[in-house]
Amino acid sequence: MADEALFQFLHSEIIQYVNSAETGESENGRCVSKLENMGFRVGQGLIERFTKDTPRFKDELDVMKFICKDFWTSVFKKQIDNLRTNHQGIYVLQDNKFRLLTQLSAGKQYMEHAPKFLAFTCGLVRGALSNLGVKSIVTAEVSVMPACKFQVMIQKM
């Protein structure tokens, strides 16, 4: 429980630090980009540790199942609530109570701040997939707080 609180505190401090360095409308995109890049590097490092004793994955679907079960559980202390795919390289990961959004109020006025709180996690997933040999684009959307959906589009090499 203590490590979860520390992670959430560190995450909010990183957002505040990056956001204070970048002020203004055009810098908001730069802030999200910096957070995503930080998450990418952390995701690369974490997946190396988590997969060092696991056998190779058969296909993309196995990789995504690993991300949704083992990786997500290690980072957020719960599995993804729903994984959907169109079997053409697009996966949707749904978390109905995303831990990094629970500190924000559920009001509509806070929806504009959600991208900052999701950028690090998008990078985290993209970095993990990158180290597993899967090139991807990860985006996130929030329709009702604290639920969110991460869309992973696999790019063929």
Side-chain angles (χ1 to χ4, degrees):
M1 186 67 182
D3 59 337
E4 183 180 332
L6 290 173
F7 176 68
Q8 288 181 345
F9 179 71
L10 177 63
H11 182 259
S12 62
E13 286 297 311
I14 289 171
I15 291 171
Q16 186 177 8
Y17 173 75
V18 171
N19 199 36
S20 67
E22 309 289 341
T23 56
E25 186 64 35
S26 64
E27 283 79 14
N28 192 31
R30 223 177 300 165
C31 172
V32 169
S33 180
K34 279 186 179 180
L35 290 167
E36 202 265 344
N37 287 332
M38 284 181 189
F40 181 83
R41 181 61 196 110
V42 171
Q44 285 181 319
L46 286 177
I47 205 70
E48 283 181 20
R49 289 180 154 214
F50 296 158
T51 59
K52 70 177 182 179
D53 296 328
T54 59
R56 281 192 148 308
F57 299 107
K58 292 185 292 187
D59 56 7
E60 285 175 3
L61 186 58
D62 278 349
V63 170
M64 292 308 297
K65 286 179 182 177
F66 179 83
I67 294 291
C68 292
K69 291 179 182 177
D70 301 315
F71 184 74
W72 208 264
T73 301
S74 296
V75 177
F76 298 109
K77 307 296 186 230
K78 70 182 280 287
Q79 291 184 4
I80 281 287
D81 295 310
N82 195 353
L83 169 65
R84 294 179 185 251
T85 182
N86 66 355
H87 298 288
Q88 296 176 359
I90 296 179
Y91 297 87
V92 178
L93 291 67
Q94 183 171 348
D95 193 333
N96 294 328
K97 194 172 180 186
F98 187 57
R99 296 205 188 281
L100 299 179
L101 288 179
T102 54
Q103 68 227 20
L104 287 179
S105 177
K108 289 281 187 195
Q109 69 269 27
Y110 296 103
M111 292 289 262
E112 68 188 47
H113 298 292
K116 293 178 210 164
F117 285 85
L118 297 172
F120 183 83
T121 306
C122 287
L124 198 70
V125 172
R126 192 172 66 88
L129 290 171
S130 173
N131 256 19
L132 294 174
V134 178
K135 190 175 179 187
S136 63
I137 298 173
V138 181
T139 57
E141 69 176 53
V142 177
S143 52
V144 179
M145 297 269 229
C148 66
K149 293 179 182 177
F150 295 91
Q151 183 171 322
V152 179
M153 294 187 308
I154 306 297
Q155 297 177 317
K156 302 297 179 195
M157 292 187 209

